[in-house]
Structures are given as C-alpha cells and as structure tokens.
Amino acid sequence: MFLAGTSASLAIAASAASAARKGADLVNLSASEAIEGMRKGEFTAEAYATALLDQVSRLQDLNAFRTLRPDEVKAAAREADRRRTAGQPLGLLHG
C-alpha cells in the first residue's frame, strides 16, 4: 500500500509541476508563437489565457491594469476554442 500511495503522490506532483512549467512557458511566448501554438493544437486559448491571468495575478503590485475581468477573458478564450474546434473562422490575432 505504501508504494502504491507513494507512486500516486509522485504522479500527482509530477503532473502539477508539468502544468506549472507549461503555464510558465506559455507566458514567455510572443504573440505570433502563441497564435501558432493554438492553431497547431499544442495548447488551448483557455490554457493560454489562464497562464497570462496567473502571471498578472503574480505581478499585481505593478498596477499595470486598471480593469481586469478574468471571467470575461476566460469566456472569450473558451469561445475561441469552441470556434476553432468547430472549424469556424477566427481573426488573425484571435487566440
């Protein structure tokens, strides 16, 4: 039992670390790299938006945004993902 529990814990920790790395990697992409990655299906617009919102949250002391609506950002990203999956056209800069 101990080994099974340990293995499961390690798998969960590795998955969380991998997700954190992916989020950190996403925020370092240029706009064109992000668009290309989403078009290729390497990550979703929602994952990209979440990574950027997490970065904004970590740096909120900079007061870089007067208004930020995370729920609207995520909803727009989900809609872009839905449209991309359905094969509907998106704008050139649409993530």
Side-chain angles (χ1 to χ4, degrees), residues 18-35:
S18 176
R21 269 195 312 276
K22 287 180 184 175
D25 292 343
L26 291 178
V27 299
N28 291 315
L29 296 175
S30 68
S32 59
E33 290 170 332
I35 292 166

Side-chain angles (χ1 to χ4, degrees), residues 64-79:
F65 296 95
R66 182 175 177 161
T67 303
L68 184 63
R69 297 183 176 103
D71 293 336
E72 291 178 29
V73 171
K74 289 181 183 180
R78 281 191 296 275
E79 176 62 14

